[in-house]
Amino acid sequence: MPAPTSAESLVLHAVRRHTQAENPSSFLALNSGNEIFTDPAADGVIIYRHTGRFLVQLGGPFAAADSYGALLDRFAAHARALGLGLVGVQLQRADAERYAQKGFTVNQIGASWAVRLPDFTLRGTKFMQLRNKISRALRNGLQVSEVDADQWQDRLREIDGAWLATKGEAPRALEFLVGQLGGPAQTHRRLFLGTIEDRPVGYISYSPVYGSRAGWMHDLSRRIPDGSPGLMEAINAHAIEVFRSEGEEWLHFGFTPFTGLDEDLELPGHSPSFHWLMRFLWEHGEQLYPAKSQLAYKEKWAPELRIPEYVAFDGEASLAGFAHIFRACNAF
């Protein structure tokens, strides 16, 4: 495993230490391909990608409370000096309020979901269908174990290739707002692999979550297209039992755009037209992002916590800024 660079150490320190915004996706800041904005006078970092005419920011500043506002101001000034637009995505509520105070147009863009683990059980009628799917996968020979990703790289790529081949012509693997495997940050992630007759058939990667709802985030997941029903459910159920045995408190299911929308969660000054667009994409936006199927999987686990997530535009909400979020994610 390569030794972390000083930049990676800086980012890891920031997302571990500065958790006031309680962002369950903060570990995505360590993805390769991200850019880092810092200021000598501020304690913290801003993570972003330069995409076309925009800087697309992940979450709010991962910064000390007394540096947060100044770091955001300097980053916004940096974008303006370059003649670029600025849009931030996956802001938490505390971030959203700070951005709105600074004149950004802030709207809810979706939500993330979480299950509290100490009292979690799959017993009861509401989990009957889920138990049946898991049982079917196990009857078909599925075995689940935690593995070292570096030792399985070639086989994981086979799963990735088979999965990506089902996504139509010229498919693209998403980046930025989803996790990745490999690189110096891999030592902090956990990987659970499903095999049938020693053939890898699916995996789920979990990223650490910091703050008062610390635990793990169900992140990158892939499976072969012709595999047994219930593969991913069985892998996740196994991981849950491991996490519970270790005393972990929360399993987060990550951000899904267009879900959990609630007009009561919008902030003063939000864009009504952008709120309408998010509602429209929930109903009709499957070609852009399969939000309904993603939410259906998460709801199988009866998450008890819905965490609203926001987008912030420096200026008015714009379709161009919104589109560049998906461009930063390699969606097109």
Side-chain angles (χ1 to χ4, degrees):
M1 183 69 65
T5 67
S6 58
E8 288 157 351
S9 298
L10 177 66
V11 174
L12 181 59
H13 174 77
V15 300
R16 280 176 165 172
R17 181 181 176 194
H18 304 311
T19 59
Q20 66 272 16
E22 300 286 354
N23 193 328
S25 296
S26 61
F27 197 79
L28 299 182
L30 279 89
N31 280 1
S32 60
N34 291 345
E35 298 181 67
I36 307 166
F37 180 86
T38 61
D39 187 278
D43 178 9
V45 302
I46 284 176
I47 303 301
Y48 70 100
R49 292 197 179 190
H50 180 182
T51 305
R53 297 179 290 107
F54 281 82
L55 302 185
V56 181
Q57 182 185 350
L58 171 65
F62 300 103
D66 59 358
S67 293
Y68 186 105
L71 189 59
L72 175 56
D73 289 342
R74 289 163 191 158
F75 184 59
H78 171 69
R80 294 166 193 151
L82 294 174
L84 299 173
L86 172 58
V87 58
V89 66
Q90 283 203 258
L91 304 180
Q92 304 304 292
R93 180 72 185 199
D95 296 311
E97 292 171 353
R98 296 289 295 273
Y99 278 63
Q101 290 168 5
K102 288 184 174 293
F104 284 71
T105 301
V106 180
N107 273 71
Q108 190 188 4
I109 191 174
S112 61
W113 313 81
V115 169
R116 192 172 181 276
L117 293 179
D119 300 323
F120 182 80
T121 176
L122 287 178
R123 294 191 297 270
T125 56
K126 70 178 178 180
F127 289 118
M128 183 172 63
Q129 289 186 338
L130 180 57
R131 291 197 306 271
N132 288 341
K133 291 194 73 173
I134 292 170
S135 295
R136 185 172 177 182
L138 296 176
R139 288 197 304 271
N140 287 336
L142 179 70
Q143 295 186 336
V144 183
S145 57
E146 186 170 6
V147 301
D148 183 334
D150 289 343
Q151 297 179 6
W152 288 84
Q153 285 185 6
D154 292 341
R155 306 303 298 274
L156 296 176
R157 288 194 194 99
E158 291 176 9
I159 295 175
D160 292 346
W163 173 83
L164 201 59
T166 68
K167 302 302 178 181
E169 295 183 8
R172 294 170 174 265
L174 294 180
E175 302 176 1
F176 191 45
L177 300 186
V178 298
Q180 58 185 204
L181 294 178
Q186 184 59 41
T187 187
H188 303 287
R189 304 185 188 101
R190 299 178 71 169
L191 181 68
F192 288 81
L193 178 69
T195 60
I196 295 179
E197 296 180 348
D198 295 325
R199 177 196 179 197
V201 293
Y203 68 81
I204 303 176
S205 174
Y206 297 85
S207 298
V209 176
Y210 308 107
S212 65
R213 296 189 293 264
W216 294 92
M217 184 175 75
H218 182 307
D219 192 8
L220 192 65
S221 59
R222 303 274 169 81
R223 55 166 292 168
I224 60 171
D226 59 343
S228 166
L231 288 181
M232 308 314 291
E233 291 85 351
I235 294 171
N236 191 52
H238 178 94
I240 284 175
E241 288 311 306
V242 171
F243 297 149
R244 278 169 42 82
S245 72
E246 296 170 349
E248 299 289 357
E249 286 285 322
W250 290 95
L251 177 63
H252 296 261
F253 282 88
F255 168 62
T256 306
F258 323 141
T259 65
L261 301 172
D262 186 339
E263 195 161 1
D264 290 339
L265 295 173
E266 297 286 14
L267 291 168
H270 75 279
S271 166
S273 60
F274 191 86
H275 179 82
W276 177 89
L277 176 62
M278 295 301 97
R279 293 279 189 186
F280 178 84
L281 289 174
W282 163 248
E283 294 293 343
H284 306 290
E286 286 292 301
Q287 294 299 315
L288 179 62
Y289 187 84
K292 289 185 177 181
S293 59
Q294 289 290 314
L295 182 59
Y297 173 81
K298 296 173 183 183
E299 288 183 331
K300 291 179 182 180
W301 306 93
E304 60 195 82
L305 185 63
R306 177 188 65 176
I307 305 169
E309 304 212 4
Y310 295 84
V311 60
F313 300 89
D314 187 12
E316 295 183 357
S318 72
L319 284 176
F322 176 66
H324 277 75
I325 294 172
F326 285 86
R327 186 173 174 186
C329 295
N330 197 41
F332 51 80

